[in-house]
Amino acid sequence: MPKQTFFNLPESKRHHLLEAAEKEFARAPLSEASIANIVKEACIARGSFYQYFEDKEDAYFFLLNQQMKELNMRFISILKENNGDIIDAMIEMYHEFLIVLPDENEHDFFKNALLNVTHKMENSFTSIFEGNHSSEHMKEVTKLINVDCLNISDEKDIIYIIKIVAAVAFRNFVEKYSGALSDEEAINIFKMEMNLLKNGLYKKK
Amino acid sequence: MPKQTFFNLPESKRHHLLEAAEKEFARAPLSEASIANIVKEACIARGSFYQYFEDKEDAYFFLLNQQMKELNMRFISILKENNGDIIDAMIEMYHEFLIVLPDENEHDFFKNALLNVTHKMENSFTSIFEGNHSSEHMKEVTKLINVDCLNISDEKDIIYIIKIVAAVAFRNFVEKYSGALSDEEAINIFKMEMNLLKNGLYKKK
DNA sequence: ATAATAAATGACACAGTGTCACTTGTCAAT
DNA sequence: ATTGACAAGTGACACTGTGTCATTTATTAT
């Protein structure tokens, strides 16, 4: 987590600094991003950066988690619109992410994140479901999911469904960003895979 | 790819060098591994390393792909034993990977790989299915898979099934290595998720 | 024996990180 | 208004690690 000093910063300066960081992380993947570029862009001294953050990763994951928090909120409202159908909601989310994502910087930022995935990042991504990781919030989300049509006997098994859907959605994002897939192709493939998940990979006897 | 010089090396020296590299990559994740440690362990000059490899990544992915080639062969034979049932085969593979993986260094090497995943690595992992990436070899693998029980109309859609199974299996590996799951728990969870994939996440109407 | 080609070497220039002693700013108490 | 105490800001610096290159050493062909 960023240090207290960072949170004491006046709103405008903090915002400016985060923008500079996002720009750098959009330019290059985490390992190639440099603190020098961030402080230059933000017009602060190198030492100041270390007043605010532990290191590069600290700034990076703060930024990533912040973005994810927004996506998480969006996912919740999409889930409501789809009456708790987790797969239909995921399809819509996927669509929205590809088509209506506005900011160029933000786009590149996610692209770099997806193409250079560490475990921490994957955790951050799947937190679309988990909110701020508090199990309290998690419960709230799972409550939204319509469990009647799910193929589980115990309600707590819903976690496995979520994980499966997240894993497959995640991989689709990565493929879309790394390959030469058009948006339309990507979405069609995604829908197909989601349907396979719904109905099962194996034929019903 | 490693340079020609590397392949010209006498077998023993090449082997020694690769062992030194594996040891270093088992000690630390890719970004923290250092060439200095590799050349020290292998007793060669720093410059020599650059005669053999482009850079650190070059050595790393050569090693990773080599390991994956072995796993791929193993998966094919497991698939045969399971009469082309891709999910049962995957369960057995998962089990074997967790339980019968022998070498300590190899174990740590995979652990680091899984916890610090780049897109290239994920590609390398899912190549369990794809062999040496030639579509020729890929066809051979898909031919092994028993397609009769699969929930697809066109045989070429088998690729989506494979990707889904791989994505979910992959995530299970990562979780096992990053979390505090026992082998038994991990395998039980994995089986449960694989069954959900077989039968579908949604109830049959 | 000699030339020519390939391999090996380690000193070095360069780039980036994290630290620290020091300077500057802020604000409450007098 | 002045002082003192604490928070924030600074950039030079030591350190670590990378990739290069001129030079040396080994190997092979003639």
Side-chain angles (χ1 to χ4, degrees):
Chain A
M1 272 300 256
K3 301 181 183 170
Q4 188 53 47
T5 320
F6 175 73
F7 295 107
N8 294 343
L9 246 36
E11 162 65 23
S12 74
K13 188 169 184 181
R14 200 170 63 228
H15 185 73
H16 191 222
L17 175 53
L18 284 178
E19 280 211 324
E22 186 180 5
K23 185 174 171 190
E24 175 62 4
F25 291 130
R27 185 194 65 78
L30 178 53
S31 65
E32 281 157 43
S34 95
I35 293 172
N37 282 338
I38 296 176
V39 299
K40 200 159 102 192
E41 177 78 20
C43 299
I44 61 171
R46 178 172 192 80
S48 298
F49 182 90
Y50 287 96
Q51 297 273 24
Y52 307 142
F53 302 105
E54 294 295 334
D55 49 27
K56 204 170 46 166
E57 276 74 24
D58 191 29
Y60 185 80
F61 287 110
F62 176 73
L63 213 47
L64 183 60
N65 283 322
Q66 204 182 242
Q67 308 265 29
M68 282 305 148
K69 230 170 262 175
E70 283 168 37
L71 286 185
N72 173 45
M73 312 248 296
R74 187 73 194 105
F75 184 73
I76 286 180
S77 73
I78 290 177
L79 193 54
K80 281 176 187 162
E81 285 164 26
N82 284 274
N83 304 314
D85 187 316
I86 183 181
I87 288 190
D88 284 356
M90 202 65 197
I91 290 172
E92 194 176 328
M93 186 85 190
Y94 191 75
H95 180 270
E96 187 170 313
F97 196 87
L98 288 189
I99 306 299
V100 254
L101 199 73
D103 187 322
E104 173 90 10
N105 257 356
E106 202 178 332
H107 186 275
D108 287 341
F109 177 80
F110 279 120
K111 183 169 175 170
N112 274 333
L114 284 164
L115 293 184
N116 194 343
V117 182
T118 68
H119 177 241
K120 276 184 190 171
M121 285 194 221
E122 199 175 342
N123 267 354
S124 188
F125 273 102
T126 40
S127 77
I128 285 182
F129 297 101
E130 294 166 25
N132 47 11
H133 290 118
S134 84
S135 61
E136 207 45 57
H137 193 280
M138 178 71 187
K139 269 180 200 155
E140 194 190 324
V141 176
T142 55
K143 238 185 275 175
L144 282 173
I145 294 173
N146 179 5
V147 80
D148 296 334
C149 61
L150 293 183
N151 193 13
I152 49 177
S153 48
D154 189 335
E155 190 162 336
K156 77 172 177 27
D157 289 343
I158 199 171
I159 182 78
Y160 301 112
I161 305 256
I162 288 177
K163 279 182 183 168
I164 287 171
V165 175
V168 173
F170 183 76
R171 182 147 226 295
N172 268 271
F173 278 120
V174 173
E175 247 166 34
K176 157 66 184 158
Y177 274 119
S178 63
L181 253 44
S182 77
D183 287 346
E184 205 189 344
E185 284 173 308
I187 287 171
N188 282 337
I189 289 174
F190 187 67
K191 280 183 185 165
M192 168 173 263
E193 292 191 8
M194 284 290 140
N195 271 326
L196 277 168
L197 287 187
K198 264 191 189 177
N199 303 320
L201 306 190
Y202 281 30
K203 276 192 186 122
K204 302 149 196 166
K205 302 159 210 147
Chain B
M1 271 300 260
K3 300 181 183 170
Q4 188 52 47
T5 319
F6 174 73
F7 296 107
N8 294 343
L9 245 37
E11 163 65 23
S12 74
K13 187 169 185 180
R14 200 170 64 229
H15 185 73
H16 189 61
L17 175 53
L18 284 179
E19 281 211 323
E22 186 180 4
K23 184 174 172 189
E24 176 62 5
F25 291 130
R27 184 193 66 78
L30 179 53
S31 64
E32 283 156 41
S34 96
I35 293 172
N37 283 338
I38 296 175
V39 299
K40 201 158 101 193
E41 177 77 21
C43 298
I44 61 171
R46 177 172 193 80
S48 298
F49 182 91
Y50 287 95
Q51 296 273 29
Y52 307 142
F53 302 105
E54 294 294 335
D55 50 26
K56 204 171 45 167
E57 276 73 25
D58 192 29
Y60 185 78
F61 287 109
F62 177 74
L63 213 45
L64 182 61
N65 283 322
Q66 204 182 241
Q67 309 266 31
M68 282 305 148
K69 229 169 264 175
E70 282 168 36
L71 286 184
N72 173 44
M73 311 247 297
R74 188 72 195 107
F75 183 73
I76 287 181
S77 73
I78 289 176
L79 193 53
K80 282 176 186 162
E81 283 164 27
N82 285 273
N83 305 313
D85 187 316
I86 184 180
I87 289 190
D88 285 355
M90 203 66 196
I91 290 172
E92 193 176 329
M93 187 85 191
Y94 191 74
H95 180 270
E96 186 169 315
F97 197 86
L98 288 189
I99 305 298
V100 253
L101 200 72
D103 188 322
E104 173 88 11
N105 257 357
E106 202 179 334
H107 186 275
D108 288 342
F109 177 80
F110 278 120
K111 182 168 176 171
N112 274 333
L114 284 164
L115 293 184
N116 194 341
V117 182
T118 69
H119 178 241
K120 276 185 191 170
M121 285 194 223
E122 199 175 344
N123 267 354
S124 189
F125 273 102
T126 40
S127 77
I128 284 182
F129 296 101
E130 294 167 24
N132 48 9
H133 292 117
S134 84
S135 61
E136 207 45 57
H137 194 280
M138 177 72 187
K139 269 179 200 157
E140 194 191 324
V141 176
T142 55
K143 236 185 277 175
L144 281 174
I145 295 173
N146 178 5
V147 81
D148 296 334
C149 61
L150 292 183
N151 193 13
I152 49 177
S153 49
D154 189 335
E155 190 162 337
K156 79 172 174 28
D157 289 343
I158 198 171
I159 183 78
Y160 301 112
I161 305 256
I162 288 178
K163 279 182 183 167
I164 288 170
V165 175
V168 173
F170 183 75
R171 182 148 226 295
N172 269 271
F173 277 120
V174 174
E175 246 166 33
K176 157 64 186 161
Y177 274 119
S178 63
L181 254 45
S182 77
D183 287 346
E184 204 188 345
E185 283 174 309
I187 288 172
N188 281 338
I189 290 173
F190 187 66
K191 279 183 185 166
M192 168 173 263
E193 291 192 9
M194 285 290 140
N195 270 326
L196 277 168
L197 287 187
K198 264 191 188 177
N199 303 321
L201 306 190
Y202 282 31
K203 277 189 186 124
K204 302 148 196 167
K205 302 155 208 148

